[in-house]
Amino acid sequence: MDFIFMLTRDDRTVEDSLDLMKLIEPVGLKHIGFKDIGVPATVLKSLVEAIDAAGAVSYMEVVSTTAEACLDSARIARDLGVRRLLGGTQVDEILRLLEGSRTEYFPFPGKPIGHPTKLGGTAADVEADCAGFVEKGCAGCDILAYRATEADPIDLVRAARKGLGPDKYLIVAGAVTSSERIRAVKAAGADAFTIGSAVFNGSYSPSKGSIISQLRDVLADCESA
């Protein structure tokens, strides 16, 4: 299973994200992402270049709350050459925007609302959404399982896996804050998970004092899950 380190805190890209790219280089992360808000597009461009130079896959997650802003973020991701665009619900429009680019799309299933984003909807809603994503040609989905307001998080991950089938990429985003949750989402069928705030605030490994130590602990738990 893949660990996607998000250069984000409280659903925003941190302002010193470029400095952090240099700091975390010794860890050798292969999946690094950021949000579409928090820093200017010029910084996002430099981030994508830095992630590419590190030999990692770049991710941008859309957390804007209006349809127009989400579509603008999709255009930015396409033009910057982000490898994987996460989030948003305007599936048809975003797929059209990304056509012919190198950017794969992983929308939110269920009913995401607000900022920081919460996830409404049942397991049946998530399964149906994911099946629809497959029909439309999406590469997978990005599910905010542990931010669910109506259903058990692991039930939602299982439902997403069922809807996507065995071959599409299933990402669990938000509030994966412990080795127990990493093991749980893997057992439920996830291919990847994201962590941002839990690394920055030190809550993933409370006895450790550095971001580097937090990241290494997450990677170790990911490998042993």
Side-chain angles (χ1 to χ4, degrees):
M1 188 164 60
D2 296 328
F3 163 42
I4 305 165
F5 178 45
M6 298 295 287
L7 296 163
T8 63
R9 193 170 192 172
D10 299 326
D11 265 0
R12 300 176 65 87
T13 300
V14 294
E15 293 180 1
D16 59 347
S17 52
L18 289 172
D19 292 333
L20 284 163
M21 281 298 300
K22 298 175 183 176
L23 176 68
I24 66 176
E25 184 177 352
V27 182
L29 296 171
K30 296 303 180 185
H31 301 266
I32 303 173
F34 49 87
K35 308 285 187 177
D36 62 333
I37 62 175
V39 297
T42 52
V43 175
L44 297 184
K45 181 178 186 297
S46 296
L47 266 181
V48 173
E49 292 171 352
I51 293 169
D52 284 348
V57 178
S58 57
Y59 297 73
M60 187 172 90
E61 187 172 58
V62 175
V63 293
S64 297
T65 55
T66 69
E68 183 179 358
C70 288
L71 294 178
D72 284 343
S73 293
R75 292 186 187 95
I76 290 170
R78 175 199 64 196
D79 295 344
L80 294 180
V82 172
R83 293 287 300 278
R84 292 175 174 173
L85 177 66
L86 315 181
T89 57
Q90 297 83 8
V91 178
D92 294 328
E93 296 95 328
I94 290 176
L95 284 173
R96 282 196 293 270
L97 285 172
L98 299 180
E99 188 174 356
S101 73
R102 79 168 189 167
T103 306
E104 296 180 308
Y105 184 40
F106 303 78
F108 286 142
K111 301 173 183 178
I113 52 172
H115 184 265
T117 312
K118 300 293 185 182
L119 182 65
T122 65
D125 294 329
V126 166
E127 182 180 343
D129 285 347
C130 288
F133 298 160
V134 173
E135 291 180 2
K136 293 175 186 293
C138 295
C141 82
D142 179 35
I143 184 165
L144 298 161
Y146 283 104
R147 296 185 183 180
T149 60
E150 300 179 42
D152 176 78
I154 295 304
D155 287 345
L156 294 182
V157 179
R158 293 193 186 102
R161 180 79 279 161
K162 185 176 180 182
L164 290 176
D167 299 324
K168 297 295 184 178
Y169 196 72
L170 171 54
I171 302 167
V172 176
V176 179
T177 55
S178 66
S179 59
E180 290 79 14
R181 288 189 175 183
I182 291 173
R183 289 193 295 270
V185 299
K186 181 179 181 180
D191 296 299
F193 62 93
T194 71
I195 296 181
S197 294
V199 165
F200 287 117
N201 63 27
S203 62
Y204 189 88
S205 291
S207 64
K208 302 290 181 67
S210 74
I211 289 175
I212 296 293
S213 296
Q214 300 283 323
L215 291 173
R216 285 176 173 155
D217 283 359
V218 176
L219 281 173
D221 289 340
C222 180
E223 291 169 0
S224 64

